[in-house]
């Protein structure tokens, strides 16, 4: 297995001035793929956790636009947590990382930029199957 860091936060430029906030993600350092799909998670009910899957090929960048959410990243061997907020940076979620989203604040808006259209066949939704897959490759 490779030893890439589990938590990679890419830079979000803050152009806030006296008028209010303006944030930018640009350049390959911050957005290292062509975006083919954008979706966002909002109005999450209390005590709801989401995710609980990995993707075979999909790469995503998660940006918390408001509120906060705690995200678990698991590569089949090591797990780590990160708290995303509007000032934390953008979380790079590469393929073959099991991810779970917990503790959404009621005002959380989590935007996700993805490098491909939705494809259910790209999901691994069973954690044991994910672990087997990681250890067999
Ligand atoms: P899912 O990925 O299971 O959500 P989460 O991992 O956040 O719990 O998606 C929920 C439902 O929405 C599921 O039926 C698939 C569908 N969906 C789309 O049709 N298009 C999309 O871009 C996404 C992200 C989900």
């Amino acid at each position: 297995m490779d030893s890439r860091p589990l938590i990679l936060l890419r830079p979000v430029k803050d152009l806030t001035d006296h008028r209010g906030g303006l944030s930018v993600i640009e350049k390959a350092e911050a957005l290292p793929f062509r975006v083919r799909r954008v979706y966002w998670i909002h109005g999450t009910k209390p005590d709801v956790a989401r995710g609980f899957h990995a993707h075979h090929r999909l790469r995503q960048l998660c940006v918390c636009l408001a509120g906060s959410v705690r995200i678990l990243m698991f590569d089949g061997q090591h797990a780590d947590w990160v708290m995303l907020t509007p000032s934390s940076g953008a979380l790079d979620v590469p393929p073959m990382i099991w991810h779970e989203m917990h503790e959404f604040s009621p005002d959380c808006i989590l935007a996700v930029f993805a490098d491909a259209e939705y494809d259910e066949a790209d999901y691994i939704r069973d954690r044991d199957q994910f672990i087997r897959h990681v250890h067999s490759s």
Side-chain angles (χ1 to χ4, degrees):
M1 292 192 51
D2 62 23
S3 57
R4 64 190 169 188
L6 277 173
I7 308 298
L8 177 52
L9 289 166
R10 295 190 173 274
V12 177
K13 207 189 309 179
D14 181 7
L15 300 177
T16 299
D17 63 18
H18 65 281
R19 298 168 296 175
L22 175 63
S23 303
V24 184
I25 296 172
E26 66 175 350
K27 299 190 178 161
E29 173 204 8
L31 189 54
F33 55 82
R34 278 186 183 267
V35 176
R36 296 281 182 232
R37 176 167 53 111
V38 180
Y39 60 93
W40 51 99
I41 293 168
H42 54 97
T44 306
K45 306 294 184 213
D47 302 320
V48 167
R50 304 194 61 139
F52 298 91
H53 61 249
H55 292 280
H56 288 286
R57 287 174 302 279
L58 188 72
R59 185 161 183 195
Q60 302 189 97
L61 193 69
C62 294
V63 186
C64 184
L65 301 181
S68 61
V69 58
R70 215 155 89 89
I71 300 187
L72 173 77
M73 304 275 279
F74 174 55
D75 64 6
Q77 198 166 26
H78 303 107
D80 207 352
W81 289 90
V82 60
M83 181 71 88
L84 283 193
T85 68
S87 57
S88 64
L91 179 66
D92 196 326
V93 184
M96 291 305 289
I97 293 290
W98 182 266
H99 48 285
E100 303 175 7
M101 294 161 265
H102 296 260
E103 298 173 26
F104 286 90
S105 65
D107 59 343
C108 181
I109 303 174
L110 181 66
V112 184
F113 299 84
D115 72 354
E117 292 175 16
Y118 174 76
D119 175 11
E120 184 59 37
D122 187 58
Y123 280 70
I124 305 171
R125 291 190 182 274
D126 182 275
R127 193 174 179 280
D128 292 336
Q129 187 192 337
F130 167 70
I131 292 170
R132 282 197 299 275
H133 200 287
V134 166
H135 290 283
S136 70
S137 56

